[in-house]
Amino acid sequence: MDTDVVIAGAGPNGLMLASELRLAGVRPIVLEKLPERSTVPRANGLVGQVVRMLDRRGLYERLSATPGAPQPTPGFVFGAMPLRLELLEENPVYLLQVPQVRIEEVLQERALELGAEIRRGHELLGFTQDADGVTVSLSGPDGEYQLRTRYLVGADGAHSQTRKLAGIDFPGVTNDSMVSRTGSAAVPPEWVEDGLLKIPGYGAVPPFLHQRTERGLFVWAPFPGRLPGISTGEWDTPPDGEMTFEELQASADRVLGVHLPLAVPTGDGVRQLRRVVGGNSRLASRFRSGRVLLLGDAAHVHSAMGGPGLNLGLQDAVNLGWKLAADVQGWASPGLLDTYESERRPVGERVVMQTQAQSALIAPGNEVTALRKLFGEFLTDADNVQRIANLMSGADIRYGAGEHPLVGRWAPDLQVGDVPLTELMRSGRPLLVDLTPSGTFSGTRVPEQIEVHAAPGEQPIALLIRPDGYVAWAAEQDGDAERGGLRDALEQWFQPRPLTSATR
């Protein structure tokens, strides 16, 4: 084999997968048809559990350029309606405002630090697969060539060549009714007061949050350290030709119903001016075809409402990485790799569902206005806010079920002696954490890839935590049944490598 895994696509998801594979000791080659990283503005940040996941890989401070752990945001929106997160005792919504260009830069640096190989200017032409691996045909700067690999992963976006060559259907719907316009634009500075854009004749507009009117959608985005931006959404027919700044101005005025003087911003930075017509909501019929797998936008596309894209795609990568490594290295339990699809495809379905629901709530019309009024009443109840917040952030994910309520869920932020669990998870290895007074579970014979940490804690609990941060087993007291449950979980997820009783 030339390499263990070939990843088609060097966007955030492909780069994250490469890092996860390297943490597990697997050799990936990342292929990207573009000769250089794109500087075209795309996503403007990260929303949801992915922010905490990146912290558990030691990447949050590098991306945020601020010390300390991430903190939940006090407010957000759902379908351009205020989501009062201050009502919640446990707020799961985390935000990290950083442009995709920077996200890709940091993830590329990390992948290279860990020893991944990235080949830019190399394009996937085709592949054949057999029981032992995949032969990938490529075009590079020096001509066409082939690579032999155990697995091929398509992280090559919504128009994925990998998905098409694998013959995987991409069913869904295309909606051509909405026209989105985005551009770098400055507002009158005297209209900004107490962090709000106060528009005469309209009212106060908070930054970064969608505003729905009967005529369309409006967003004011005063990015710190970057050129400010304005975005609109309208249900109209776009004009012909390239978009102009005057078109953005006219759209903003139509949506708001009053004139908002816009100016071309001064200063350095990437300037954008673009128009997007319509959108897609699609989900691959399957995420795997033999030794070929799909990741991120290659597997699912949806509206950008609420910013779920990178939350979904990067967590795909963390879920797939350790399972693929287990298969390559020979310690995967039977059917482990198939759980990538069985766990992540339902999550993709829910993201498609909730973004379609948000799109319906921002549409024009008196009926939608009435629906928003009713929905707004629901969002005054803390239980409903919690449900929506969990849905948008991914905090409602549960992989399977178990007797303990933590099984299948995101591991809580525990203190293990003097070390936070977040730091222990930066190795990307599975963990057995024993905080019970007796420490009995830490003496269990475990596969050698598992790190064992024992330290009596304030919360007497023992957890078996998968590399992606989800709990495979949990117990709060010692006993034969609990020890049997641990052995069953070890066999389910981490066999058949030889066992060791060494505690680290």
Side-chain angles (χ1 to χ4, degrees):
M1 293 288 175
D2 297 311
T3 191
D4 294 323
V5 179
V6 167
I7 303 169
N13 301 319
L15 293 170
M16 189 73 201
L17 177 61
S19 293
E20 291 295 296
L21 292 171
R22 284 304 304 139
L23 283 173
V26 169
R27 301 170 299 140
I29 294 177
V30 184
L31 307 171
E32 173 55 58
K33 64 180 180 181
L34 296 177
E36 302 290 341
R37 276 202 326 272
S38 174
T39 59
V40 176
R42 298 184 66 186
N44 290 309
L46 301 162
V47 181
Q49 292 290 98
V50 66
V51 179
R52 302 175 70 196
M53 182 271 287
L54 290 170
D55 189 38
R56 289 184 170 184
R57 288 296 188 262
L59 293 169
Y60 174 75
E61 290 188 359
R62 291 172 68 166
L63 285 165
S64 66
T66 57
Q71 300 298 317
T73 184
F76 203 55
V77 290
F78 181 84
M81 304 180 71
L83 200 59
R84 297 180 56 195
L85 300 174
E86 78 276 5
L87 296 175
L88 307 183
E89 292 186 9
E90 295 187 14
N91 178 3
V93 182
Y94 291 76
L95 298 181
L96 177 57
Q97 289 185 343
V98 57
Q100 183 165 329
V101 171
R102 176 57 179 162
I103 294 171
E104 290 188 10
E105 181 182 21
V106 169
L107 292 180
Q108 176 174 294
E109 289 173 353
R110 178 61 168 163
L112 292 173
E113 289 168 3
L114 292 171
E117 181 180 351
I118 301 173
R119 298 183 184 180
R120 294 192 174 272
H122 294 251
E123 184 173 3
L124 176 66
L125 299 178
F127 62 81
T128 59
Q129 60 172 312
D130 53 42
D132 299 319
V134 185
T135 301
V136 184
S137 299
L138 304 161
S139 174
D142 298 324
E144 296 184 5
Y145 68 105
Q146 290 186 331
L147 279 176
R148 182 70 173 164
T149 181
R150 296 184 186 277
Y151 286 96
L152 169 65
V153 178
D156 44 353
H159 302 287
S160 170
Q161 179 75 345
T162 310
R163 185 188 65 241
K164 295 173 184 176
L165 290 169
I168 297 176
D169 293 335
F170 203 36
V173 296
T174 298
N175 188 334
D176 294 329
S177 62
M178 186 175 183
V179 180
S180 300
R181 296 174 174 92
T182 301
S184 301
V187 301
E190 65 272 17
W191 288 13
V192 179
E193 184 180 340
D194 298 327
L196 300 174
L197 172 59
K198 297 186 176 180
I199 304 173
Y202 176 81
V205 175
F208 304 108
L209 302 182
H210 292 89
Q211 301 290 302
R212 184 259 186 189
T213 74
E214 288 288 351
R215 297 161 296 276
L217 206 63
F218 177 83
V219 181
W220 169 53
F223 298 110
R226 298 162 52 195
L227 296 179
I230 293 290
S231 293
T232 66
E234 294 183 89
W235 285 260
D236 62 5
T237 302
D240 295 330
E242 295 293 326
M243 181 176 161
T244 64
F245 191 84
E246 290 72 23
E247 182 182 331
L248 179 66
Q249 174 72 76
S251 179
D253 290 351
R254 286 193 301 269
V255 170
L256 294 170
V258 298
H259 179 55
L260 170 64
L262 300 178
V264 176
T266 59
D268 297 329
V270 178
R271 300 178 185 277
Q272 59 176 323
L273 193 63
R274 62 190 175 97
R275 180 199 311 129
V276 177
V277 179
N280 289 286
S281 294
R282 298 186 178 277
L283 184 68
S285 59
R286 50 202 169 108
F287 284 14
R288 180 184 181 189
S289 176
R291 290 182 171 269
V292 180
L293 299 106
L294 302 179
L295 174 70
D297 287 355
H300 37 65
V301 294
H302 43 76
S303 166
M305 289 290 294
L310 288 175
N311 188 25
L312 183 58
L314 291 174
Q315 293 206 71
D316 284 350
V318 177
N319 185 287
L320 176 59
W322 72 277
K323 296 172 182 178
L324 202 53
D327 195 279
V328 168
Q329 295 175 333
W331 56 268
S333 57
L336 177 65
L337 193 53
D338 289 330
T339 67
Y340 167 61
E341 178 177 320
S342 65
E343 290 184 344
R344 294 305 296 170
R345 195 173 184 280
V347 178
E349 287 179 337
R350 285 184 64 76
V351 169
V352 169
M353 175 273 290
Q354 59 103 336
T355 53
Q356 286 180 322
Q358 291 191 72
S359 297
L361 284 167
I362 65 170
N366 293 333
E367 297 88 348
V368 175
T369 300
L371 176 63
R372 291 174 60 83
K373 184 176 181 180
L374 177 61
F375 205 90
E377 293 177 6
F378 294 157
L379 292 182
T380 63
D381 182 89
D383 289 341
N384 292 332
V385 174
Q386 186 76 66
R387 188 180 186 93
I388 295 294
N390 290 345
L391 173 66
M392 294 187 72
S393 66
D396 62 348
I397 293 173
R398 186 172 190 183
Y399 297 138
E403 292 186 5
H404 196 283
L406 283 178
V407 173
R409 297 198 179 277
W410 181 257
D413 291 328
L414 300 171
Q415 192 73 16
V416 185
D418 296 330
V419 183
L421 178 64
T422 292
E423 292 188 14
L424 296 179
M425 294 202 65
R426 290 176 181 171
S427 67
R429 295 178 64 178
L431 305 176
L432 176 58
V433 175
D434 190 350
L435 304 183
T436 62
S438 64
T440 302
F441 296 113
S442 63
T444 304
R445 290 169 57 84
V446 300
E448 61 182 10
Q449 65 269 30
I450 297 177
E451 291 183 0
V452 181
H453 298 271
E458 295 182 3
Q459 182 177 354
I461 193 169
L463 302 171
L464 178 63
I465 305 172
R466 306 181 340 179
D468 58 358
Y470 286 81
V471 176
W473 165 88
E476 296 182 35
Q477 59 182 1
D478 193 10
D480 292 340
E482 287 76 12
R483 290 194 294 273
L486 174 57
R487 287 192 292 269
D488 290 343
L490 289 168
E491 185 175 352
Q492 178 183 356
W493 297 106
F494 303 113
Q495 292 295 333
R497 257 193 187 178
L499 300 178
T500 174
S501 59
T503 300
R504 300 174 182 85

